[in-house]
Amino acid sequence: MSRHVAIVTDSTAYLPARTMERHGISAVPLTVVLGDRALQEGTEISTRALAQALQKRRPVTTSRPAPAVFEETYRRVAESGATGIVSLHLSAELSGTYDAAVVAARQAPVPVRVVDTGMIAMALGFCALAAAETAEAGGTVDEAVTAAEKRAAGTSAYFYVDTLDYLRRGGRIGAAQALLGSALAVKPLLQLADGRIEPLEKVRTASKAIARLEEIAADRAGGAQVDVAVHHLAAPDRASALADRLRGRLSGLADLHVSEVGAVIGAHTGPGLLGVVVSPR
């Protein structure tokens, strides 16, 4: 049984399963409540089922994992040989997941550092990967945390949504409420800032908004070596086309991931979401 620093994150990191397995990263699932059914993200509800429910305006909410779920994960990871755990989670401004992890960490059999990355989706995923790579190289808990925090500080996330209605319903738009009055007349671009979803720009049409999203991502990347993720919900053609254009534009592109977001983030953004995460190495 090897002794090592283990990395735990949550299901909103949307890391590919093979990547998680290769780096030994564990993910604690958040919950999606569809009608009267509580379903675990990633295993019990598909993005297709979520998109259909949203389009039919069925009630969809989300909830954090219970501390007991984190306790079980920390115990299992410790039993696998971990001498310390770095637990990296989506922004505490958007979810109580971080708080649940903090409560559980007090009961863990090995030391646990819980980190509010201020990120979501692959912006969180890239932080988890940075921590895992540091741990694999023999890094300590503190060094893995530092690697994750450094990655988070340099990472940017931008989003296009067809409508702000889902974000409004879920109470996740913060200052983006300023856009609500003209939501029907514009296509909003949003960004992740200080752990919150904030307005970035208002564009008149979907095609212009997506073109602008590409420009913003390219400007943010510059000529640096970057990892990029393109996310979508029920918009695979849009995501694939945007990813192809970014491949042609970014001279320093290292890895590019294209994936559909899971049910938790999808519940708050709605079908048509297109997002880009730019994360310098």
Side-chain angles (χ1 to χ4, degrees):
M1 184 169 64
S2 64
R3 313 298 290 175
H4 61 280
V5 173
I7 308 303
V8 173
T9 186
D10 58 67
S11 60
T12 68
Y14 302 136
L15 285 163
R18 286 183 294 180
T19 299
M20 292 180 60
E21 184 177 355
R22 183 167 66 249
H23 293 282
I25 300 171
S26 300
V28 174
L30 274 72
T31 299
V32 178
V33 182
L34 185 59
D36 59 356
R37 300 174 62 207
L39 306 167
Q40 286 190 346
E41 181 176 42
T43 58
E44 295 180 340
I45 180 170
S46 68
T47 50
R48 175 175 293 183
L50 170 77
Q52 291 174 343
L54 291 172
Q55 288 163 345
K56 294 177 181 178
R57 300 187 71 84
R58 293 179 59 190
V60 180
T61 58
T62 61
S63 66
R64 70 180 191 179
V69 179
F70 278 107
E71 288 181 29
E72 179 183 351
T73 300
Y74 295 154
R75 188 180 311 110
R76 173 173 50 78
V77 169
E79 289 172 353
S80 75
T83 56
I85 298 170
V86 177
S87 198
L88 302 159
H89 300 293
L90 80 160
S91 172
E93 294 280 350
L94 302 175
S95 169
T97 300
Y98 167 81
D99 294 331
V102 169
V103 171
R106 301 183 188 125
Q107 309 300 322
V110 297
V112 179
R113 285 280 300 278
V114 183
V115 179
D116 170 14
T117 66
M119 301 282 109
I120 54 175
M122 272 298 293
L124 168 59
F126 287 134
C127 294
L129 283 174
E133 289 165 357
T134 298
E136 288 164 4
T140 64
V141 165
D142 286 346
E143 288 168 338
V145 169
T146 297
E149 291 179 337
K150 182 178 179 180
R151 197 70 185 259
T155 296
S156 301
Y158 308 101
F159 308 95
Y160 161 82
V161 291
D162 277 334
T163 172
L164 287 170
D165 189 42
Y166 299 103
L167 285 161
R168 178 188 58 78
R169 285 189 232 166
R172 296 301 198 279
I173 55 174
Q177 289 175 357
L179 292 174
L180 285 176
S182 56
L184 296 177
V186 301
K187 293 299 183 180
L189 292 178
L190 309 170
Q191 65 179 335
L192 191 65
D194 298 323
R196 297 184 297 273
I197 296 172
E198 304 281 4
L200 181 60
E201 294 182 8
K202 294 181 283 186
V203 185
R204 285 295 177 184
T205 66
S207 60
K208 290 181 179 179
I210 293 170
R212 182 61 183 140
L213 182 66
E214 177 187 341
E215 291 289 338
I216 291 167
D219 288 347
R220 176 66 185 85
Q225 186 180 35
V226 295
D227 294 324
V228 171
V230 175
H231 289 304
H232 72 94
L233 179 64
D237 293 342
R238 276 180 178 175
S240 179
L242 177 57
D244 287 343
R245 293 195 299 272
L246 289 173
R247 285 189 186 96
R249 292 190 64 161
L250 304 185
S251 60
L253 183 63
D255 288 332
L256 191 151
H257 303 260
V258 181
S259 65
E260 192 165 28
V261 298
V264 167
I265 290 181
H268 295 293
T269 60
L273 163 75
L274 198 59
V276 180
V277 175
V278 180
S279 183
R281 289 198 169 189

